[in-house]
Amino acid sequence: MLKSVKVRDYMSRDLVTFSEHMDLFKAIDVLLVNRISGAPVIDPAGHLVGLLSESDCLRSILSGSYFEEVGGTISSVMTVVVETIDADADIVKAAEHFIHKGRRRLPVVDEGRLVGQISRRDILRAVKAYNEHGAPK
């Protein structure tokens, strides 16, 4: 059954991450070069402390241009309340979260440390593998 398939089995592990002290425009460059819409912000110990999205960047630029103070560090613009999922949660729980909350991806944590990210596409990949083979790959 799909409830036996864990998030950790299908999550992406190789993530672009930011430090909260990184310059905002450097972070924007990283988002653009990597063609991603956002990335987790972690502390030196690997704990998730926030998320920086394109919306956060735009909001900061618009607000800053109004006050003629564009720029700063990620910590001043990142989203600090971030929904996450535990690495040992089953993918059904992740799928339910995506459906009910409208999210496309969730940071995956293990004891507070960021260990990956699970997306809708990862869930579909897991379902396909389970359907083809009766068990996770």
Side-chain angles (χ1 to χ4, degrees):
M1 179 161 215
L2 281 174
K3 286 194 175 193
S4 64
V5 180
K6 301 297 179 197
V7 166
R8 75 170 63 251
D9 297 328
Y10 285 91
M11 69 184 186
S12 299
R13 297 173 190 274
D14 188 26
L15 304 178
V16 171
T17 60
F18 295 123
S19 156
E20 58 193 320
H21 304 294
M22 180 183 246
D23 177 75
L24 178 62
F25 285 103
K26 184 175 179 188
I28 290 171
D29 285 340
V30 171
L31 293 176
L32 293 171
V33 166
N34 287 283
R35 303 179 81 179
I36 56 177
S37 61
V41 182
I42 57 173
D43 69 13
H47 293 96
L48 183 67
V49 295
L51 188 70
L52 181 71
S53 69
E54 291 170 325
S55 294
D56 295 326
C57 297
L58 289 172
R59 190 173 15 264
S60 173
I61 291 166
L62 288 176
S63 174
S65 67
Y66 180 77
F67 295 106
E68 297 183 8
E69 298 174 359
V70 179
T73 61
I74 289 175
S75 64
S76 64
V77 301
M78 69 183 185
T79 300
V80 293
V81 178
V82 180
E83 294 179 34
T84 63
I85 193 162
D86 190 84
D88 289 322
D90 61 69
I91 63 163
V92 172
K93 181 178 178 183
E96 289 171 344
H97 191 92
F98 292 144
I99 291 167
H100 298 298
K101 300 283 186 160
R103 301 277 186 240
R104 293 182 181 196
R105 65 193 65 81
L106 280 170
V108 180
V109 294
D110 188 3
E111 296 183 13
R113 294 189 69 226
L114 180 71
V115 294
Q117 176 178 273
I118 188 92
S119 69
R120 291 178 180 180
R121 185 166 293 144
D122 295 327
I123 301 296
L124 293 176
R125 196 167 43 88
V127 170
K128 180 180 181 221
Y130 191 87
N131 187 51
E132 291 175 352
H133 304 289
K137 279 187 159 182

